[in-house]
Amino acid sequence: MSRFFSKKYKDLEPYTPGEQPKERKFIKLNTNESPYAPSKVAIEFAKEALERLQLYPDPECTALTAELSSLYGVEPDQILWTNGSDDILNFAFMAFCDESHPAAFPEISYGFYQVFAQANGVPFKKIPLKEDLSVCAEDYYDLGHTIFIANPNAPTGKALSPAEIEKILRRNPDSVVVIDEAYVDFGAESCVPLVAKYENLLVTQTFSKSRSMAGARLGFCIGCQALISDLNTLKYSTNPYNINSVTMAAGIGTLKDDAYIKDNCRRIAETRDYTTMELRALGFETTDSVANFMFISHPKISGAELYARLRELGILVRYFSAPKISRFVRVTVGSREEMTSFLEAVKLILEE
Ligand code: PMP
């Protein structure tokens, strides 16, 4: 740390992104990317956008917004775009949390929530999960906090129903409730339809997972016009050109090719269910994940050991050292071939 670094950041512990290996070729099941290529329409649109790189992108993302607005059945002024959904989450911590309105989120969830709270000097409360690692909706009633819930939650993959989330919204009418739907397309039910009913709901989604665009960085949120307007104030006070024109064009192409995306999601869900069945037959405990990853543990081996042995065999998964989940590893659902290799490696490790 230099002597110039602001004191307000002295205790900040930055987020550690999943490894992006360069030294050798791994089967990469550690960062919940899609195993499938981006849409061909997206690639075509992105190539065309390259011809006009001398111009700034449209800060309002008008064409992208129009496309999403008709696909999701929401008004254009209920949508905001950011550079990955991480940026929206950061804006939400900036916009809707402070000393008098702290943040609350599940104790085991997306690690970035705590980092955003700390980076923005926001007090926060972590709410434990139930014994079965699910979020207990009742624990979020009448909190007086801005609530952040990943649904499905990460790294467990377990989801609440929109009816349960609706109860949280009703019991916190004076607080914003942010539902992070990064993984919703693989089998959970979206809360977007609730936006019409609840002015305190903000739903975030990303193009990084189901839409095969992690490298392009594109996220969005849907909420009532007043919430979107607050977030726009922050966007226009930091980086109005936060979506570059190539990403914007690829995003439009992806939305036009929605049938391709839906088909990929269906294939990933099928591969997840097949792999889960095989893992259970090998004695693994797995959460009932509806996301594009599985959260698994085995009585014969610790999470740290399983992670390390798989790595030696050329397969990367994600391990979290937090004591309550140190038995587990999180495994992204890859292609059917990748999961066959993963299962073979797991069998080999268990036989050792
Ligand atoms: N929410 C959750 C729960 C995530 O796991 C991730 C991905 N790490 C994100 C949000 C952010 O994704 P992105 O910034 O790529 O949209």
Side-chain angles (χ1 to χ4, degrees), residues 40-51 245-247 249-251 253:
K40 289 201 168 61
V41 186
I43 295 171
E44 215 37 59
F45 279 39
K47 278 187 189 154
E48 283 168 26
L50 285 172
E51 307 285 337
S245 34
V246 179
T247 292

Side-chain angles (χ1 to χ4, degrees), residues 154-198:
T156 63
K158 297 179 83 146
L160 293 175
S161 67
E164 287 170 296
I165 288 170
E166 191 162 5
K167 284 190 199 143
I168 297 176
L169 288 160
R170 282 213 192 118
R171 297 291 292 260
N172 292 279
D174 299 321
S175 301
V176 173
V177 178
V178 178
I179 302 298
D180 173 352
E181 294 191 346
Y183 301 104
V184 77
D185 296 330
F186 303 101
E189 208 181 323
S190 175
C191 287
V192 167
L194 296 179
V195 165
K197 262 169 94 179
Y198 296 94

Side-chain angles (χ1 to χ4, degrees), residues 22-311:
K22 289 158 201 88
E23 78 279 22
R24 69 182 258 212
K25 202 159 165 26
F26 282 96
I27 294 182
K28 230 183 136 296
L29 306 177
N30 67 330
T31 44
N32 300 340
E33 292 138 328
S34 174
Y36 302 118
S39 139
K40 289 201 168 61
V41 186
I43 295 171
E44 215 37 59
F45 279 39
K47 278 187 189 154
E48 283 168 26
L50 285 172
E51 307 285 337
R52 299 183 300 280
L53 275 188
Q54 75 276 25
L55 303 175
Y56 278 110
D58 169 14
E60 289 171 30
C61 307
T62 315
L64 186 57
T65 300
E67 206 66 47
L68 190 78
S69 152
S70 66
L71 192 65
Y72 275 46
V74 296
E75 294 300 319
D77 56 7
Q78 295 182 305
I79 299 171
L80 176 96
W81 296 93
T82 52
N83 189 299
S85 56
D86 280 339
D87 256 4
I88 300 169
L89 295 167
N90 187 34
F91 284 162
F93 275 90
M94 289 167 80
F96 308 123
C97 304
D98 54 30
E99 289 286 335
S100 67
H101 221 102
F105 40 84
E107 179 188 9
I108 293 164
S109 191
Y110 185 33
F112 227 141
Y113 299 153
Q114 177 163 332
V115 180
F116 287 135
Q118 285 172 337
N120 290 301
V122 166
F124 60 90
K125 167 158 137 179
K126 295 202 264 186
I127 301 183
L129 296 181
K130 287 200 260 191
E131 197 65 29
D132 67 355
L133 297 182
S134 59
V135 169
C136 177
E138 287 85 354
D139 289 347
Y140 294 80
Y141 292 173
D142 312 317
L143 267 190
H145 285 54
T146 302
I147 296 170
F148 292 80
I149 297 178
N151 198 53
N153 195 16
T156 63
K158 297 179 83 146
L160 293 175
S161 67
E164 287 170 296
I165 288 170
E166 191 162 5
K167 284 190 199 143
I168 297 176
L169 288 160
R170 282 213 192 118
R171 297 291 292 260
N172 292 279
D174 299 321
S175 301
V176 173
V177 178
V178 178
I179 302 298
D180 173 352
E181 294 191 346
Y183 301 104
V184 77
D185 296 330
F186 303 101
E189 208 181 323
S190 175
C191 287
V192 167
L194 296 179
V195 165
K197 262 169 94 179
Y198 296 94
E199 59 167 5
N200 58 333
L201 170 63
L202 189 74
V203 179
T204 69
Q205 291 193 11
T206 178
F207 277 49
S208 298
K209 317 292 178 184
S210 57
R211 295 189 169 96
S212 301
M213 274 183 52
R217 312 302 300 127
L218 186 61
F220 64 92
C221 65
I222 297 180
C224 73
Q225 287 137 355
L227 289 187
I228 297 299
S229 160
D230 295 341
L231 295 168
N232 260 317
T233 300
L234 294 172
K235 164 174 159 161
Y236 282 88
S237 305
T238 47
N239 181 6
Y241 301 114
N242 62 346
I243 311 298
N244 72 70
S245 34
V246 179
T247 292
M248 210 179 306
I252 296 168
T254 298
L255 291 175
K256 285 190 185 297
D257 202 7
D258 198 45
Y260 171 71
I261 301 302
K262 291 224 162 67
D263 198 43
N264 285 348
C265 290
R266 186 190 48 72
R267 286 200 282 170
I268 289 169
E270 261 173 35
T271 308
R272 174 195 64 216
D273 295 343
Y274 157 79
T275 313
T276 302
M277 205 177 65
E278 294 286 310
L279 286 168
R280 284 183 177 157
L282 292 171
F284 276 89
E285 181 193 326
T286 69
T287 56
D288 292 320
S289 170
V290 289
N292 67 334
F293 52 83
M294 296 158 296
F295 200 47
I296 67 169
S297 73
H298 196 282
K300 267 178 69 180
I301 187 163
S302 72
E305 255 181 286
L306 182 57
Y307 161 81
R309 281 296 291 125
L310 282 167
R311 198 175 197 290

